[in-house]
Amino acid sequence: MPLPAAQFHDLRDRCVLVTGGGAGIGAALVEGFIHQGAKVAFVDIDERAGLDLVDKLFAETGSRPSFIHADLRDITAVRQAAETAATALGAIHVLVNNAARDDRQPLEAVTEESWDESQAVNLRHLFFMSQAVAPHMRQAGSGSIVNFSSIAFLLNMAEIPAYATAKAGIIGLTKSLAGKLGHDNIRVNAILPGMIVTVRQKKLWLDEAAIAAMLEKQCLKRSLTASDLVGPCLYLASDCSAGMTAQTMIIDGGAL
Ligand SMILES: NC(=O)c1ccc[n+]([C@@H]2O[C@H](COP(=O)([O-])OP(=O)(O)OC[C@H]3O[C@@H](n4cnc5c(N)ncnc54)[C@H](O)[C@@H]3O)[C@@H](O)[C@H]2O)c1
């Protein structure tokens, strides 16, 4: 991954927890925070991917992030992961709620179970992880929570009613948490990625025609990759954005 152009000196030794850090954007974020000298823990359901990332980063940088193997659909596991991260690193100062699964399911196929499953994997854990981490941020005297939403809910995409609902819900959650936690100097912002070409996206949804169609809409005529999200996330995590909360940042190459 290309290294971010900037060094955010306040992120050195900061305790950072990233969810879904084993692959895709989350893995790029873990790497980005490691390169800032932060202390990093990440949660993922994919044990192999998590362990491989720890080995890769240790070999490349000499720093070893803490990997916590957990399923974020399980709220007891969410709470345990927050405590495990704080025990490993110290009071969590930055939380990046990134984990999600963008399954596609048209209107007719959605069941009660699949609806609840989608909200559990794409929305519910963001609230409970924030709730679990907020006391650590109070203890640290400040904090920054970055929630990953998506521009998908703004595109009238027919095949993702449950996912789009969850991603729209993240904006409401971000603003409500910002209103509550601002009293404790904890900031909460959201990032809305556009089309980000990751391994999973290429495997499941992004053929050449889909990429070409999105590039037609974008102002920037190149595909965005996971590394395009690193700089914006570091900025929101850092005190460089100290006056910024309850906001949404769109990183989509100008597609909207
Ligand atoms: N890639 C894109 O084009 C795109 C576009 C818009 C928004 N986003 C958002 O960006 C974020 C990252 O997306 P990505 O493309 O890197 O996804 P990805 O699928 O490549 O990575 C997601 C990670 O989350 C983990 N995960 C999934 N379910 C989990 C669970 N129940 N418990 C623990 N970990 C779990 C996966 O194992 C994986 O490592 C998501 O919130 C996604 O909605 C991505």
Side-chain angles (χ1 to χ4, degrees):
M1 184 189 79
L3 291 179
Q7 197 71 34
F8 294 89
H9 297 289
D10 61 303
L11 293 180
R12 174 159 291 282
D13 292 330
R14 241 178 217 180
C15 303
V16 177
L17 176 58
V18 178
T19 70
I25 295 169
L29 299 176
V30 169
E31 188 172 350
F33 279 109
I34 288 283
H35 279 290
Q36 297 291 320
K39 298 182 199 162
V40 184
F42 69 99
V43 182
D44 210 288
I45 194 171
D46 184 338
E47 189 170 24
R48 188 67 268 149
L51 293 172
D52 286 351
L53 181 64
V54 172
D55 288 346
K56 172 181 173 289
L57 291 178
F58 184 61
E60 287 174 4
T61 68
S63 297
R64 200 186 279 282
S66 296
F67 169 52
I68 301 163
H69 180 220
D71 181 348
L72 294 161
R73 292 172 297 182
D74 173 355
I75 300 306
T76 303
V78 167
R79 294 181 175 130
Q80 276 170 358
E83 292 317 307
T84 304
T87 304
L89 306 183
I92 303 300
H93 207 129
V94 174
L95 167 64
V96 183
N97 279 315
N98 160 79
R101 210 184 56 229
D102 65 338
D103 294 342
R104 305 199 170 183
Q105 210 176 28
L107 178 66
E108 301 74 18
V110 176
T111 62
E112 288 176 52
E113 290 73 25
S114 71
W115 178 270
D116 288 347
E117 162 71 13
S118 184
Q119 304 316 308
V121 79
N122 293 313
L123 177 60
R124 188 174 63 183
H125 62 87
L126 282 79
F127 172 79
F128 286 100
M129 188 60 94
S130 303
Q131 184 190 55
V133 160
H136 297 285
M137 294 183 169
R138 276 191 204 102
Q139 189 191 326
S142 66
S144 175
I145 298 175
V146 182
N147 292 327
F148 270 75
S149 175
S150 172
I151 66 163
F153 81 88
L154 296 165
L155 294 175
N156 310 330
M157 289 172 72
E159 303 298 302
I160 50 165
Y163 177 78
T165 301
K167 290 294 172 183
I170 289 171
I171 306 302
L173 175 63
T174 297
K175 288 183 168 288
S176 176
L177 288 177
K180 173 70 180 170
L181 297 175
H183 298 260
D184 296 310
N185 201 26
I186 299 168
R187 302 181 296 111
V188 192
N189 293 290
I191 289 179
L192 285 69
M195 181 191 73
I196 310 300
V197 180
T198 60
V199 173
R200 175 178 154 89
Q201 294 297 310
K202 276 182 94 168
K203 196 162 111 193
L204 293 180
W205 327 116
L206 289 182
D207 57 17
E208 280 182 20
I211 292 176
M214 186 51 93
L215 290 185
E216 187 67 30
K217 287 190 193 153
Q218 288 182 198
C219 302
L220 301 178
K221 300 302 176 190
R222 69 166 175 90
S223 297
L224 301 193
T225 63
S227 62
D228 285 297
L229 279 308
V230 175
C233 188
L234 294 177
Y235 168 70
L236 289 177
S238 148
D239 295 344
C240 287
S241 58
M244 186 174 168
T245 193
Q247 301 305 309
T248 54
M249 200 188 254
I250 295 175
I251 311 294
D252 70 345
L256 284 184

